[in-house]
């Protein structure tokens, strides 16, 4: 008997990107979209097109870039929203307009201030309007889990009649239990007479930690589209986690006898790319993709693993793309071996990028005896997507100690010219970044700074993630080096180059560098760059 297919609807770039700290620029969204396409998601919700010109542009660019997935744009049940969504996705190979309207009494009364009859009429009208533009329309009953079942079934039936072929039943506030979700989905399946003309989707938030459990309950009850995000990111406590859903269905196929189009071997790389782009670290204890997911420290566990890995591992690291064996490279390794290893790790780069990365690899090999896959991944991710405006590190000298004020002398290159400044600070990193700020003559604040070791041992690479800001927005950077001061400067320059790409002061403007408050600057609002409206409510 052929197993039923579950369609994976990924909303990392819409619901996930709205979460504090996860906003992405256009290039980053396209990189993430291409990786999600490689992962095998069926539907990619690219954004909320009406929210801002930037959101519209990113949805449109993704629609024109990816080829194998359906591209959806979110829209409130308003004509202007639907028009914007259609304009943004109409160039996609398979476009979809995803429109939504609240159906619970609490939302109707306090947010929309309309009656059930008015909401039903609006849903019918707007679904019909969307269907006249787009061949595929999804309709979401916002806050479905708190909606009266009789009314919910009536809305679903009417939306299908108006042209919707996907009906989403979201647990918008993460209030439902698996029993609630099973009852809601099965009731709609059994009581809506034209349900055979559409499929049910579930979109479960994780406020009570039940996002994945509720999604699985919905699938058992008859839902055939699961809406989720990489690493479960999203509004408040996030959404159902894509990697957890995928591996539950693969590992416990006896209990959930379904199939999906996902290539689970791409899961780890997708999660790593998300972390690389956003600068938000994955929790070590995160299921499936956390650093400890396949680690065993207990002596009893280690003994069992040596005897038979099945004693304590219910899935293999390789099944999610975690590498357990490493080809060790060193300073005598050639470019062909290095390029082959990049390909094995899933990086497709042009010859110029490979040559540039190989130069950094050789520099690292002079400092570090052996270089593992983790080192190569860190190098590849820290040097990807170079900016058009490029400040490069030439040299730095720091003088620091516990009985003195730290000073840093930093020399940067821009084209053929070199620029040098000296700055003081309460520590060597602080002083170095202040020197950078003085050179570029563009004030910025440091919003976040994190340092971690990429590999083990004393000669390990240090990986630094920073987020800086100016009056126009926030910018992230990543740098790796065996010297943590150098890694800090490199990460700062990566962020600075992105910042100056978007906001270079006019030549001769006389902008003066301001003091960089390293630890005590005011935190900016994560949503200051866009107004998402009610997008999160779907």
């Amino acid at each position: 008997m052929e197993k039923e297919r579950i369609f994976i609807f990924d909303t990392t770039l819409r619901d996930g990107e709205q979460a504090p700290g996860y906003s992405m620029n256009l290039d980053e969204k396209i990189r993430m979209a291409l990786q999600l396409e490689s992962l095998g998601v069926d539907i990619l919700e690219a954004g909320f097109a009406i929210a801002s010109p930037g959101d519209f542009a990113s949805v449109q660019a993704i629609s024109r870039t990816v080829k194998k997935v359906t591209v959806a744009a979110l829209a409130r049940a308003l004509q202007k929203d639907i028009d914007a969504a259609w304009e943004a996705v109409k160039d996609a190979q398979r476009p979809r307009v995803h429109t939504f309207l609240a159906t619970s009494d609490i939302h109707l009364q306090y947010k929309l201030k309309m009656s059930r009859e008015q909401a039903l009429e609006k849903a019918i009208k707007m679904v019909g309007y969307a269907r006249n533009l787009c061949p595929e329309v999804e309709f979401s009953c916002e806050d479905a889990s708190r909606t009266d079942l009789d009314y919910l079934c009536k809305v679903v039936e009417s939306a299908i009649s108006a042209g919707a072929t996907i009906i989403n039943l979201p647990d918008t506030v993460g209030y439902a239990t698996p029993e609630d979700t099973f009852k809601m989905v099965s009731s709609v399946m059994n009581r809506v007479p034209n349900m055979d003309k559409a499929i049910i989707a579930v979109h479960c938030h994780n406020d009570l930690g039940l996002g994945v459990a509720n999604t699985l309950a919905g699938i058992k009850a008859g839902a055939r589209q699961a809406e989720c995000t990489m690493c479960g990111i999203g509004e408040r406590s996030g959404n159902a986690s894509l990697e957890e859903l995928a591996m539950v269905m693969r590992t416990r196929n006896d209990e959930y006898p379904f199939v999906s189009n996902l290539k689970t071997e791409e899961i780890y790389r997708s999660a790593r790319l998300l972390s690389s782009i956003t600068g938000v670290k994955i929790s070590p204890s995160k299921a499936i993709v956390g650093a400890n997911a396949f680690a065993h420290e207990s002596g009893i566990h280690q003994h069992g693993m040596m005897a038979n890995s099945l004693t304590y591992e219910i899935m293999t690291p390789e099944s999610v793309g975690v590498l357990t064996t490493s080809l060790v490279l060193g300073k005598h390794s050639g470019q062909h071996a290095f390029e082959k290893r990049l390909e094995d790790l899933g990086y497709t780069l042009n010859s110029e990028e490979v040559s540039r990365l190989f130069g950094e690899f050789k520099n690292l090999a002079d400092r570090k005896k052996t270089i593992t896959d983790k080192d190569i991944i860190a190098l590849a991710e820290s040097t990807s997507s170079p900016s058009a405006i490029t400040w490069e590190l030439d040299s730095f000298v720091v003088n620091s100690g516990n009985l003195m004020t730290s000073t840093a002398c930093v020399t940067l290159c821009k084209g053929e010219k070199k620029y040098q400044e000296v700055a003081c600070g309460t520590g060597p990193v602080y002083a170095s970044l202040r020197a950078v700020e003085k050179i570029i003559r563009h004030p910025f604040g440091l919003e976040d700074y994190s340092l971690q070791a990429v590999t083990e041992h004393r000669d390990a690479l240090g990986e630094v993630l920073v987020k800086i800001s100016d009056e126009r927005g926030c910018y992230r950077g990543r740098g790796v080096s065996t010297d943590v001061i150098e890694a800090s400067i490199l990460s700062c320059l990566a962020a600075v180059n992105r910042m100056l790409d978007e906001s270079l002061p006019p030549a001769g403007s006389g902008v003066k560098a301001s003091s960089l408050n390293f630890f005590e600057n005011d935190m900016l609002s994560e949503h200051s760059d866009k107004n998402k409206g009610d997008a999160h409510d779907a």
Side-chain angles (χ1 to χ4, degrees):
M1 180 178 173
E2 188 175 351
K3 295 178 180 179
E4 290 191 70
R5 179 176 171 182
I6 302 301
F7 293 90
I8 302 299
F9 178 108
D10 183 274
T11 185
T12 300
L13 296 176
R14 199 277 301 170
D15 194 319
E17 197 252 350
Q18 288 171 201
Y22 285 94
S23 62
M24 309 178 201
N25 63 32
L26 177 59
D27 290 340
E28 291 166 342
K29 287 183 178 181
I30 290 175
R31 286 175 62 202
M32 194 70 219
L34 289 171
Q35 178 55 35
L36 291 170
E37 183 177 41
S38 298
L39 176 59
V41 303
D42 299 290
I43 306 97
L44 186 64
E45 188 167 50
F48 186 46
I50 196 69
S52 71
D55 277 48
F56 180 91
S58 64
V59 175
Q60 189 175 64
I62 291 168
S63 298
R64 293 171 177 174
T65 302
V66 297
K67 305 300 180 186
K68 301 175 185 177
V69 301
T70 296
V71 180
L74 187 68
R76 293 168 296 185
L78 297 172
Q79 185 171 324
K80 64 177 182 178
D81 281 37
I82 293 169
D83 286 340
W86 169 242
E87 283 298 315
V89 300
K90 67 180 183 181
D91 293 333
Q93 295 286 325
R94 293 191 291 273
R96 177 186 295 186
V97 170
H98 177 196
T99 187
F100 70 95
L101 185 68
T103 52
S104 67
D105 289 336
I106 190 169
H107 277 246
L108 292 177
Q109 180 180 352
Y110 294 103
K111 189 179 77 171
L112 299 180
K113 301 186 185 304
M114 63 172 61
S115 66
R116 288 184 177 185
E117 291 72 24
Q118 289 172 319
L120 178 62
E121 181 182 347
K122 188 172 186 179
I124 294 170
K125 183 179 179 180
M126 290 299 101
V127 169
Y129 182 78
R131 182 61 184 84
N132 286 333
L133 296 174
C134 185
E136 190 168 272
V137 175
E138 176 174 344
F139 178 70
S140 284
C141 304
E142 183 192 349
D143 205 23
S145 58
R146 296 192 295 175
T147 299
D148 174 74
L149 270 177
D150 292 335
Y151 179 63
L152 182 64
C153 290
K154 188 175 182 179
V155 173
V156 169
E157 180 181 355
S158 300
I160 294 172
S161 297
T165 52
I166 303 96
I167 298 294
N168 183 30
L169 303 178
D171 181 24
T172 302
V173 295
Y175 179 75
T177 65
E179 292 76 17
D180 295 333
T181 305
F182 186 92
K183 179 182 178 181
M184 175 180 66
V185 173
S186 58
S187 295
V188 171
M189 286 287 295
N190 295 323
R191 292 168 57 180
V192 174
N194 57 354
M195 198 64 244
D196 61 316
K197 297 179 181 178
I199 67 170
I200 290 181
V202 284
H203 179 126
C204 301
H205 279 264
N206 203 41
D207 297 70
L208 296 176
L210 295 172
V212 171
N214 284 334
T215 302
L216 292 169
I219 289 172
K220 269 199 167 185
R224 291 298 174 262
Q225 177 176 292
E227 305 202 354
C228 48
T229 60
M230 277 307 306
C231 300
I233 67 171
E235 289 282 350
R236 303 182 312 278
S237 300
N239 293 276
S241 168
L242 181 150
E243 65 275 10
E244 293 175 24
L245 285 171
M247 295 313 293
V248 167
M249 288 192 291
R250 176 169 171 164
T251 306
R252 293 304 311 272
N253 205 243
D254 57 325
E255 188 71 19
Y256 302 97
F258 307 104
V259 295
S260 76
N261 193 46
L262 292 175
K263 303 174 183 66
T264 61
E265 293 78 12
E266 290 288 329
I267 283 176
Y268 184 72
R269 185 166 182 232
S270 301
R272 175 77 189 185
L273 178 61
L274 178 65
S275 177
S276 171
I277 287 173
T278 62
V280 180
K281 292 170 59 177
I282 300 170
S283 170
S285 59
K286 174 71 179 70
I288 314 300
V289 295
N292 294 342
F294 298 98
H296 303 274
E297 186 170 333
S298 163
I300 295 175
H301 285 215
Q302 290 174 343
H303 176 74
M305 285 293 296
M306 288 186 286
N308 187 326
S309 63
L310 292 177
T311 55
Y312 287 104
E313 276 188 358
I314 58 174
M315 53 193 162
T316 65
E318 293 85 357
S319 67
V320 297
V322 175
L323 299 167
T324 55
T325 58
S326 296
L327 174 64
V328 177
L329 300 176
K331 63 181 181 180
H332 299 298
S333 300
Q335 184 166 334
H336 289 298
F338 177 72
E339 186 173 0
K340 176 64 168 61
R341 196 58 192 148
L342 281 173
E343 292 175 0
D344 292 343
L345 292 171
Y347 293 95
T348 304
L349 305 173
N350 60 42
S351 57
E352 183 180 341
E353 291 171 325
V354 171
S355 296
R356 175 171 55 84
L357 203 57
F358 183 67
E360 298 199 17
F361 162 77
K362 295 296 278 186
N363 289 335
L364 176 61
D366 286 334
R367 304 183 187 184
K368 198 170 186 286
K369 185 176 180 180
T370 57
I371 299 177
T372 66
D373 290 337
K374 289 181 179 180
D375 295 311
I376 295 174
I377 290 170
L379 283 176
E381 292 180 351
S382 67
T383 58
S384 60
S385 301
S387 301
I389 300 172
T390 305
W391 284 99
E392 296 180 320
L393 177 64
D394 179 74
S395 64
F396 70 95
V397 178
V398 295
N399 192 12
S400 184
N402 66 332
L403 299 177
M404 63 185 296
T405 299
S406 296
T407 59
C409 178
V410 177
T411 305
L412 302 182
C413 296
K414 187 176 181 184
E416 299 296 321
K417 294 185 177 181
K418 293 185 180 182
Y419 304 80
Q420 186 177 86
E421 285 286 356
V422 177
C424 300
T426 54
V429 173
Y430 184 4
S432 299
L433 299 197
R434 288 195 68 190
V436 169
E437 187 184 34
K438 290 172 71 174
I439 292 172
I440 68 170
R441 299 184 67 78
H442 185 110
F444 61 85
L446 186 67
E447 301 296 318
D448 195 20
Y449 175 96
S450 66
L451 167 67
Q452 64 179 351
V454 173
T455 53
E456 303 81 15
H457 308 303
R458 295 182 181 183
D459 62 353
L461 271 180
E463 179 182 57
V464 174
L465 304 173
V466 301
K467 181 165 69 172
I468 65 173
S469 66
D470 63 5
E471 69 278 5
R472 294 174 178 86
C474 295
Y475 313 90
R476 287 178 296 271
R478 173 188 295 265
V480 295
S481 174
T482 52
D483 185 314
V484 296
I485 308 300
E486 182 178 26
S488 300
I489 298 173
L490 291 173
S491 64
C492 180
L493 289 177
V496 160
N497 288 329
R498 289 191 175 97
M499 176 177 69
L500 296 183
D501 271 348
E502 300 181 21
S503 54
L504 183 67
S509 62
V511 175
K512 295 182 179 179
S514 66
S515 174
L516 177 67
N517 189 338
F518 189 69
F519 289 112
E520 298 176 358
N521 57 300
D522 294 330
M523 297 298 287
L524 298 182
S525 167
E526 298 293 345
H527 297 291
S528 61
D529 58 334
K530 60 184 74 175
N531 177 13
K532 294 289 187 178
D534 289 328
H536 69 280
D537 293 326

